[in-house]
């Protein structure tokens, strides 16, 4: 009955397709078999005690969360149902052409790709006939549990926002494939009494190697914890959509109790871009997404962002997106 209740709930959730195969993480008093299939889901509904950072993650089976999902396509990367997941992908063969942030990228054989924010803005343009990919979706919450104590992740996150594709050397390719297989193997070990901790360890190893792949390409900079926390808070405000009504650096600096100059300096040091760039970038991406929705009038979108007039809105779009609002609907 316990398993039946869980399966019925998960089948009704929009985040999981009906053809997924589900693995449950049971307390030691329960057991389950390993169902066949190429789709795996980790559903957590108990607390691991003794790890302070994890104490707040106490789930009952009534609010279970699928923290890790394995797939062999990129079809779900732009789905709103996966908006809380970070996408990690490795291309075995062929290639895929995708668009993100107004740019076009080629994700080909021997490359890994990490889409850490706003997967809903990704558009798959083309895939080759021999395109083969492994994909691991991990929730933001599970990533936080698994990320090592390093400030490099913040710098890498912004670089990946601009270019999510990382070309790998032959040696790095083997490391990446081993990491993906390790996560899959841990998911299938249903009788492992410390399966949850083992999965955290497997995901952490994957993240550390992604840090290394990225750092080998772009180098490393020392980032203080204070700067990292400030940048995280700034981006969190943008993620919550504050840019729809507030697009001045002064607003964000005041909210974070720093000067506009300091906020911009920290942003440039960590991301390579000043704070104003990220405010404009988030605004422009959101506007471009809404302009493609033909059910919304230009006036309605203008009002969402607090523009004083439709002409002001049109000028903003032309300045920051390079086209008129009407061009999105031709």
């Amino acid at each position: 009955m316990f398993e039946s209740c869980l399966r019925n709930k998960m089948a009704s959730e929009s985040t999981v397709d009906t053809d997924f195969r589900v693995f449950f993480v049971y307390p030691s008093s329960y057991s389950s078999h390993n169902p066949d299939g190429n789709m795996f889901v980790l559903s957590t509904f108990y607390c691991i005690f003794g790890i302070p950072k994890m104490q707040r993650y106490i789930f009952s089976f009534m609010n279970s969360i699928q923290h890790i999902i394995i797939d062999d396509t990129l079809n779900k990367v732009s789905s709103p149902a996966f908006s809380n997941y970070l996408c990690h992908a490795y291309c075995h063969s062929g290639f895929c052409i995708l668009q993100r942030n107004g740019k076009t990228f080629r994700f080909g054989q021997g490359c890994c790709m990490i889409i850490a924010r706003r997967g809903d803005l990704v558009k798959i343009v083309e895939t080759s006939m021999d395109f083969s990919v492994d994909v691991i979706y991990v929730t933001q919450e599970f990533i936080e549990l698994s990320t090592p104590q390093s400030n490099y992740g913040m710098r890498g996150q912004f670089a990946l926002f601009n270019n999510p594709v990382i070309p790998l050397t032959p040696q790095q390719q083997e490391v990446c494939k081993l990491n993906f297989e390790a996560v899959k193997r841990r998911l299938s070990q249903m009788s492992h009494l410390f399966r949850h901790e083992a999965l955290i360890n497997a995901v952490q190893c994957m993240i550390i190697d992604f840090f290394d792949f990225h750092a080998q390409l772009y180098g490393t900079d020392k980032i203080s914890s204070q700067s990292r926390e400030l940048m995280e808070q700034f981006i969190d405000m943008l993620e919550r959509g504050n840019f729809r009504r507030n697009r001045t650096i002064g607003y964000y600096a005041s909210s974070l109790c720093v000067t506009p100059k300091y906020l911009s300096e920290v942003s440039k040091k960590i991301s390579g871009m000043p704070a104003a760039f990220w405010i404009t970038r988030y605004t422009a991406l959101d506007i471009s997404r809404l302009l493609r929705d033909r059910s919304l009038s230009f006036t309605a979108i203008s009002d969402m962002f607090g523009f004083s007039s439709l002409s002001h809105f049109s000028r903003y779009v032309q300045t920051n997106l390079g086209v008129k609002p009407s061009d999105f609907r031709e």
Side-chain angles (χ1 to χ4, degrees):
M1 180 177 178
F2 192 79
E3 179 172 341
S4 176
C5 289
L6 282 167
R7 289 187 183 278
N8 289 339
K9 173 176 174 51
M10 296 178 77
S12 68
E13 291 182 351
S14 61
T15 56
V16 180
D17 290 353
T18 56
D19 63 341
F20 279 23
R21 299 295 182 262
V22 179
F23 286 116
F24 296 102
V25 181
Y26 287 87
S28 58
S29 58
Y30 290 90
S31 63
S32 179
H33 65 284
N34 183 351
D36 296 326
N38 63 355
M39 184 65 70
F40 302 91
V41 178
L42 167 66
S43 178
T44 307
F45 56 92
Y46 65 97
C47 177
I48 301 294
F49 295 96
I51 305 178
K53 193 175 180 182
M54 298 176 65
Q55 293 299 317
R56 67 185 185 277
Y57 291 90
I58 304 175
F59 301 108
S60 70
F61 75 91
M62 290 302 293
N63 62 357
S64 59
I65 294 177
Q66 297 83 46
H67 285 295
I68 301 175
I69 298 177
I70 308 295
D71 202 357
D72 57 6
T73 76
L74 289 172
N75 295 341
K76 299 174 181 67
V77 68
S78 59
S79 169
F82 281 72
S83 61
N84 189 45
Y85 288 82
L86 279 73
C87 172
H88 309 78
Y90 175 78
C91 181
H92 292 279
S93 63
F95 67 89
C96 170
I97 304 297
L98 58 101
Q99 292 179 343
R100 186 171 194 258
N101 301 335
K103 301 177 183 179
T104 300
F105 303 99
R106 188 182 190 275
F107 174 46
Q109 181 178 4
C111 292
C112 68
M113 180 173 69
I114 308 169
I115 299 178
R117 290 182 183 271
R118 299 304 304 272
D120 59 316
L121 297 174
V122 174
K123 180 182 179 182
I124 306 298
V125 177
E126 177 189 353
T127 57
S128 64
M129 294 294 292
D130 59 341
F131 182 57
S132 174
V133 65
D134 275 338
V135 185
I136 299 180
Y137 295 98
V138 186
T139 60
Q140 182 65 46
E141 293 83 1
F142 203 88
I143 287 291
E144 289 176 2
L145 293 180
S146 307
T147 299
Q149 296 300 309
S150 168
N151 291 332
Y152 184 79
M154 174 59 69
R155 182 175 184 271
Q157 183 181 112
F158 285 104
L160 291 169
F161 188 89
N162 287 319
N163 186 354
V165 179
I166 305 175
L168 303 180
T169 66
Q171 183 179 6
Q172 290 172 334
Q173 292 171 29
E174 293 305 313
V175 171
C176 189
K177 287 187 281 189
L178 287 172
N179 282 332
F180 273 53
E181 290 302 318
V183 174
K184 293 179 186 179
R185 185 176 67 254
R186 290 304 187 184
L187 277 173
S188 66
Q189 293 175 335
M190 303 303 298
S191 61
H192 199 303
L193 297 180
F194 301 94
R195 179 168 174 262
H196 194 84
E197 294 96 330
L199 277 163
I200 290 175
N201 179 264
V203 172
Q204 184 175 82
C205 286
M206 180 178 71
I207 292 171
I208 289 172
D209 283 324
F210 278 138
F211 281 3
D212 180 65
F213 300 159
H214 192 270
Q216 294 289 344
L217 279 178
Y218 300 105
T220 59
D221 291 323
K222 290 185 178 180
I223 300 171
S224 69
S225 296
Q226 182 181 9
S227 294
R228 176 184 57 79
E229 291 173 5
L230 175 65
M231 197 64 185
E232 284 180 347
Q233 292 170 353
F234 172 52
I235 294 301
D236 282 343
M237 293 178 72
L238 294 175
E239 288 285 326
R240 291 196 299 269
N242 287 26
F243 57 84
R244 287 197 174 186
R245 291 291 174 177
N246 301 283
R247 288 182 289 278
T248 65
I249 300 176
Y251 165 79
Y252 295 92
S254 176
S255 299
L256 297 170
C257 301
V258 296
T259 65
K261 181 180 178 182
Y262 182 73
L263 177 59
S264 199
E265 287 176 349
V266 169
S267 175
K268 186 151 189 180
K269 180 179 180 181
I270 293 177
S271 70
M273 297 292 180
F277 170 86
W278 294 108
I279 297 170
T280 301
R281 195 64 177 164
Y282 270 84
T283 305
L285 288 173
D286 199 29
I287 288 176
S288 66
R289 179 181 63 83
L290 294 172
L291 285 172
R292 292 185 177 92
D293 184 350
R294 292 179 178 273
S295 68
L296 295 172
S297 68
F298 295 152
T299 300
I301 298 173
S302 175
D303 290 343
M304 287 181 191
F305 289 82
F307 286 100
S308 58
S309 66
L310 190 56
S311 60
H312 183 198
F313 170 69
S314 296
R315 285 196 301 273
Y316 185 92
V317 172
Q318 285 184 283
T319 299
N320 293 286
L321 294 174
V323 294
K324 297 180 293 185
S326 57
D327 291 339
F328 282 87
R329 300 185 178 181
E330 290 181 353

